[in-house]
């Protein structure tokens, strides 16, 4: 058959298209081949790493928070196992799971699994689906479930659902030592007390676990797995005895309520070591429910609230005077009212003019006599002794919120303040300061820093004991012994006779100071510091009650101190003494019993 003139041109064009297509295909094959060489040969490890990173999932391992223990190792605060259930929403979908009964892989509906999970968690299935389905790589589904609930939830096998351990604090003794322990926020952040100040020790160091997952979000068995273990936090053991703390809280709460006072507190201290056995408030926060309590009581008021001490401040004035040559039996003429450099100083109630011993002035707590005794010492010397005792200084016991009080230098004292500082006005201190001052006197004149933390205990139970402070000598042994007899006189025949404890020699000092308010003084703080037994001092108890109601002549807190001392002497098996009181006479001649 003859070809037409256009047939050759058409065949040539078709052949060119075919050859061009073949060339394009060969070029693509060459590119793919070259890419395969690069992937498998030149950069195989790099691409494998990228693929691995896409399959890897990392989970933070939360360390267990350390416990807070009392001096006997009993738990005051501890962590319990709880878990947050979280989801990678991108992986939450229908999936396949192994059926043990049929021995086969089966398709599982996500909606069916969510209904089952809904029953476990007690959350509506629709709401649960809203939480779990989406595009977020991290979504908290429910917080702080028990280990049992966590196990049931994960057993369902929904891809992308994980459990993260979290720390939930338990305070098994409720409000006992609550203001000391502090508390955590809802997110586990430490907010107050030892939970805050000791967080570096308690919190530990987080670890990490990494593993491979398949496309369905399920971990690949026997695939790569790595773990950096968490380091659990240290336990913190305190000097606090929970039994003593409980007794002190009950006692000070009862006393404060009886006077309808704003607050009251009590500090109990080991006289020889400075260890704090109790630091109690009239109202105590429950760490499990802190918002139910006024924020004033979120921290120990013995540490945070300062006040003008009144006559308990005479302890330092008389000790300094004895240290610098005054004798307990020196004689002074003591009127009810007396002028000193143009300043009129009066006693709290009218009395006859008496010839009295130094000890007698202290026993009856007369201000006029106190000024006579105290001004035998230079103002700067007396001020320096007050500073060395800790007045005007922060007392660091490992808790936040320490109030140092106010004590200005003598150069800033006005004409009256020079004298009022001699009998506990014109400066402020806390109850913890008061306890430390009496501890110094009771311990032979050697001051030990107050101590609240006894030891840090590692996860392997090895102990890091906080060393006992060496101590600072403030007064001589002789001055200390003389002061103990002066303190005994106050209890035996002075202003604190309800502070006696049968079978033991007890010493102490009462105080009532005016409380400053808006526009001037408008209330009082009444206090007492006691020590027993005087032949070998073991315990110091300091009590303050702020703004009690009623007549100041009827206030007494030394009876509460006597209850506390009786409890301590019994609990710690301190045997009764058969010694007679050894206090000094109030008057240089007879009779000793005279009108107040």
């Amino acid at each position: 058959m003859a070809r037409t003139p256009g047939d050759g041109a058409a065949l040539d064009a078709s052949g060119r298209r075919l050859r061009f297509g073949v060339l394009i295909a060969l070029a693509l094959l060459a590119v793919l081949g070259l890419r395969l060489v690069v992937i498998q040969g030149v950069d195989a490890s790099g691409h494998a790493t990228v693929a691995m990173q896409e399959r890897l999932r990392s989970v933070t391992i939360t360390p267990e928070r350390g416990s807070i223990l009392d001096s006997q190792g009993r738990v005051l605060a501890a962590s319990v196992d709880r878990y947050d259930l979280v989801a990678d929403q991108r992986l939450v979908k229908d999936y396949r799971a192994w059926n043990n009964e049929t021995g086969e892989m089966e398709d599982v509906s996500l909606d069916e699994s969510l209904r089952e999970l809904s029953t476990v968690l007690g959350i509506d299935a629709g709401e649960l689906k809203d939480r779990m389905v989406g595009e977020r790589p991290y979504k908290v589904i429910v917080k702080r479930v028990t280990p049992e609930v966590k196990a049931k939830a994960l057993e369902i096998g929904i891809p992308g659902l994980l459990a993260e351990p979290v720390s939930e604090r338990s305070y098994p003794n409720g409000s006992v030592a609550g203001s000391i322990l502090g508390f955590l926020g809802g997110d586990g952040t430490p907010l107050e007390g030892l939970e805050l100040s000791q967080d570096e020790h308690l919190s530990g160091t987080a670890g990490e676990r990494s593993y491979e997952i398949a496309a369905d979000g399920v971990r690949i068995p026997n695939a790569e797995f790595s773990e950096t273990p968490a380091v659990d936090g240290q336990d913190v053991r305190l000097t606090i005895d929970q039994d003593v703390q409980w007794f002190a809280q009950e006692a000070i709460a009862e006393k404060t309520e009886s006077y309808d006072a704003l607050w009251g507190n009590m500090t109990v201290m080991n006289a020889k070591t400075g260890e704090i056995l109790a630091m109690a408030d009239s109202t105590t926060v429950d760490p499990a429910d802190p918002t139910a309590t006024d924020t004033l009581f979120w921290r120990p008021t013995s540490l945070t609230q300062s006040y003008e001490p009144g006559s308990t401040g005479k302890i330092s004035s008389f000790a300094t005077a004895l240290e610098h040559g005054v004798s307990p039996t020196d004689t002074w003429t003591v009127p009810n009212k007396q002028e000193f450099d143009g300043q009129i100083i009066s006693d709290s109630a009218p009395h006859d003019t008496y010839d009295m011993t130094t000890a007698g002035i202290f026993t009856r707590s007369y201000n006029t006599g106190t000024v006579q005794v105290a001004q035998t010492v230079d103002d700067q010397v007396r001020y320096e002794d007050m500073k060395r005792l800790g007045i005007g200084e922060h007392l660091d016991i490992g808790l936040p919120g320490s109030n140092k009080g106010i004590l200005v230098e003598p150069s800033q004292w006005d004409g009256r303040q020079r004298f009022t500082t001699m009998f506990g006005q014109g400066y402020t201190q806390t109850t913890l300061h008061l306890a430390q001052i009496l501890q110094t006197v009771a311990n032979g004149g050697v001051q030990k820093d107050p101590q609240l933390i006894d030891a840090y205990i590692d996860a392997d139970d090895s102990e890091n004991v906080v060393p006992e402070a060496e101590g600072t000598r403030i007064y001589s042994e002789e001055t200390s012994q003389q002061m103990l007899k002066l303190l005994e006189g106050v209890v035996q025949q002075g202003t604190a006779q309800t502070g006696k404890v049968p079978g033991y020699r007890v010493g102490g000092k009462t105080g009532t100071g005016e409380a400053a308010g808006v526009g001037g003084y408008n209330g009082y703080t009444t206090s007492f510091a006691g020590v027993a037994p005087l032949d070998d001092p073991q315990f110091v108890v300091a009590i303050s009650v702020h703004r009690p109601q009623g007549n100041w002549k009827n206030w007494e807190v030394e009876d509460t101190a006597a209850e506390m001392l009786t409890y301590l002497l019994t609990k710690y098996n301190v045997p009764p003494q058969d010694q007679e009181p050894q206090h000094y006479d109030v008057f240089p001649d007879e009779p000793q019993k005279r009108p107040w």
Side-chain angles (χ1 to χ4, degrees):
M1 182 178 179
R3 294 186 298 173
T4 63
D7 288 344
L11 288 172
D12 288 343
S14 176
R16 286 195 299 272
R17 286 196 298 271
L18 178 61
R19 287 193 295 274
F20 182 74
V22 170
L23 288 173
I24 292 296
L26 290 173
L28 290 173
L29 287 173
V31 170
L32 291 173
L34 180 61
R35 181 61 177 164
L36 185 61
V37 170
V38 171
I39 293 174
Q40 293 186 339
V42 179
D43 192 25
S45 62
H47 285 80
T49 299
V50 172
M52 176 64 75
Q53 289 175 345
E54 291 178 350
R55 296 196 305 273
L56 277 180
R57 290 292 181 268
S58 295
V59 177
T60 299
I61 304 173
T62 304
E64 182 175 337
R65 189 171 181 84
S67 298
I68 303 176
L69 313 173
D70 86 334
S71 60
Q72 307 304 309
R74 294 170 291 193
V75 175
L76 298 172
S79 293
V80 293
D81 292 336
R82 293 292 182 268
Y83 296 86
D84 287 350
L85 296 183
V86 301
D88 183 340
Q89 293 180 330
R90 300 168 302 177
L91 304 175
V92 179
K93 54 189 176 183
D94 295 336
Y95 59 101
R96 291 177 61 80
W98 181 262
N99 188 320
N100 289 325
E101 294 182 1
T102 64
E104 297 178 352
M105 295 292 291
E106 294 182 351
D107 293 331
V108 180
S109 164
L110 176 62
D111 288 340
E112 178 183 342
S113 295
L114 289 178
R115 283 193 294 271
E116 186 177 353
L117 183 61
S118 166
T119 302
V120 172
L121 300 181
I123 299 175
D124 177 76
E127 181 183 349
L128 190 58
K129 186 172 184 178
D130 290 340
R131 295 185 192 183
M132 292 195 63
V133 176
E135 297 299 324
R136 296 174 62 177
Y138 184 89
K139 171 68 174 178
V140 177
I141 307 304
V142 63
K143 289 186 174 183
R144 287 170 170 72
V145 300
T146 65
E148 294 76 18
V149 171
K150 181 263 297 187
K152 291 179 180 179
L154 296 186
E155 188 178 359
I156 297 170
I158 300 174
L161 182 65
L162 300 170
E164 293 183 345
V166 293
S167 177
E168 183 172 286
R169 293 301 259 182
S170 170
Y171 303 93
N173 297 291
S175 64
V176 174
S179 60
I180 298 172
L181 300 175
F183 50 85
L184 307 179
D187 61 354
T189 301
L191 298 179
E192 283 291 353
L194 292 170
E195 296 281 25
L196 174 62
S197 65
Q198 302 303 308
D199 184 58
E200 181 180 352
H201 294 279
L202 292 166
S203 60
T205 304
E208 185 178 66
R209 180 183 296 117
S210 299
Y211 53 87
E212 287 186 70
I213 61 171
D216 61 2
V218 177
R219 179 180 168 185
I220 302 174
N222 302 320
E224 181 171 320
F225 171 83
S226 66
E227 179 173 300
T228 301
V231 178
D232 291 339
Q234 294 176 302
D235 293 343
V236 179
R237 187 173 67 218
L238 308 182
T239 59
I240 295 290
D241 183 314
Q242 73 172 24
D243 296 336
V244 178
Q245 178 72 28
W246 175 84
F247 190 96
Q249 287 181 197
E250 292 293 305
I252 192 60
E254 181 180 352
K255 175 59 67 175
T256 304
E257 183 180 4
S258 70
Y259 290 139
D260 194 23
L262 184 62
W263 53 257
N265 58 45
M266 181 191 305
T267 295
V268 180
M269 187 178 287
N270 183 310
K272 298 184 183 300
T273 66
E275 293 175 337
I276 299 172
L277 305 181
M279 195 156 53
D281 286 293
S282 52
T283 300
T284 309
V285 62
D286 182 348
D289 186 19
T291 57
T293 304
D294 191 300
T295 56
L296 171 67
F297 301 105
W298 284 7
R299 295 176 176 180
T301 58
S302 289
L303 181 72
T304 64
Q305 302 301 306
S306 65
Y307 54 89
E308 296 190 32
S311 291
T312 52
K314 293 172 183 175
I315 296 173
S316 61
S317 295
F318 276 77
T320 295
L322 295 178
E323 185 77 5
H324 289 84
V326 172
S327 167
T329 56
D330 285 346
T331 301
W332 313 81
T333 299
V334 183
N336 171 63
K337 182 184 297 185
Q338 190 170 354
E339 182 177 341
F340 299 91
D341 295 339
Q343 299 293 327
I344 302 298
I345 303 298
S346 301
D347 290 325
S348 58
H351 63 78
D352 293 338
T353 297
Y354 293 122
D355 287 336
M356 305 183 71
T357 64
T358 305
I361 294 170
F362 189 79
T363 296
R364 293 200 170 189
S365 202
Y366 289 156
N367 292 339
T368 53
T370 297
V371 172
Q372 293 182 53
V373 172
Q375 70 176 352
T376 62
V377 180
D378 180 78
D379 288 344
Q380 187 65 33
V381 172
R382 184 165 57 83
Y383 165 81
E384 289 173 358
D385 269 8
M386 294 171 76
K387 291 290 285 186
R388 290 200 300 157
L389 286 168
I391 303 171
E393 302 289 341
H394 287 290
L395 301 182
D396 183 9
I397 60 173
L399 278 175
S402 168
N403 188 329
K404 69 178 182 178
I406 300 173
L407 177 63
V408 300
E409 296 183 359
S411 61
Q412 300 179 47
W413 291 348
D414 60 28
R416 186 164 186 81
Q417 192 174 13
R418 177 186 172 226
F419 300 110
T420 59
T421 54
M422 297 175 182
F423 49 84
Q425 298 276 179
Y427 67 92
T428 66
Q429 65 184 36
T430 66
T431 305
L432 186 59
H433 284 104
L434 176 58
Q436 177 170 266
I437 291 167
L438 189 54
Q439 179 276 323
T440 302
V441 170
N443 191 40
V446 176
Q447 181 186 87
K448 292 294 187 74
D449 293 337
Q451 182 179 349
L452 179 65
I453 297 173
D454 176 58
Y456 297 98
I457 305 172
D458 296 332
D460 62 1
D461 291 331
S462 59
E463 295 189 3
N464 306 282
V465 176
V466 176
E468 182 182 326
E470 293 185 3
T472 302
R473 179 163 291 284
I474 307 297
Y475 301 119
S476 67
E477 180 72 34
E478 180 183 9
T479 294
S480 174
Q481 291 301 316
Q482 291 172 340
M483 279 301 302
L484 291 179
K485 292 182 180 180
L486 262 67
L487 292 162
E488 185 174 27
V490 175
V491 173
Q492 286 295 319
Q493 50 189 9
T495 58
Q497 295 186 45
T498 58
K500 297 174 183 176
V501 176
Y504 300 90
R505 292 176 55 215
V506 178
K509 185 71 188 78
T510 56
T512 300
E514 291 184 283
V518 178
Y521 292 106
N522 58 3
Y524 296 89
T525 305
T526 187
S527 58
F528 177 78
V531 55
L534 293 185
D535 59 298
D536 183 21
Q538 301 289 323
F539 306 108
V540 165
V541 174
I543 297 177
S544 302
V545 175
H546 189 59
R547 298 188 180 278
Q549 303 302 302
N551 191 317
W552 67 269
K553 294 180 181 180
N554 297 325
W555 300 331
E556 60 179 18
V557 294
E558 56 271 18
D559 57 340
T560 300
E563 292 175 15
M564 188 76 245
L565 287 168
T566 300
Y567 174 83
L568 291 165
L569 294 165
T570 302
K571 175 179 172 61
Y572 291 102
N573 298 314
V574 179
Q577 308 296 313
D578 56 6
Q579 291 183 334
E580 293 296 319
Q582 299 177 24
H583 56 85
Y584 300 102
D585 287 340
V586 173
F587 303 101
D589 53 10
E590 298 300 331
Q592 291 299 310
K593 291 185 178 182
R594 305 184 190 186
W596 279 69

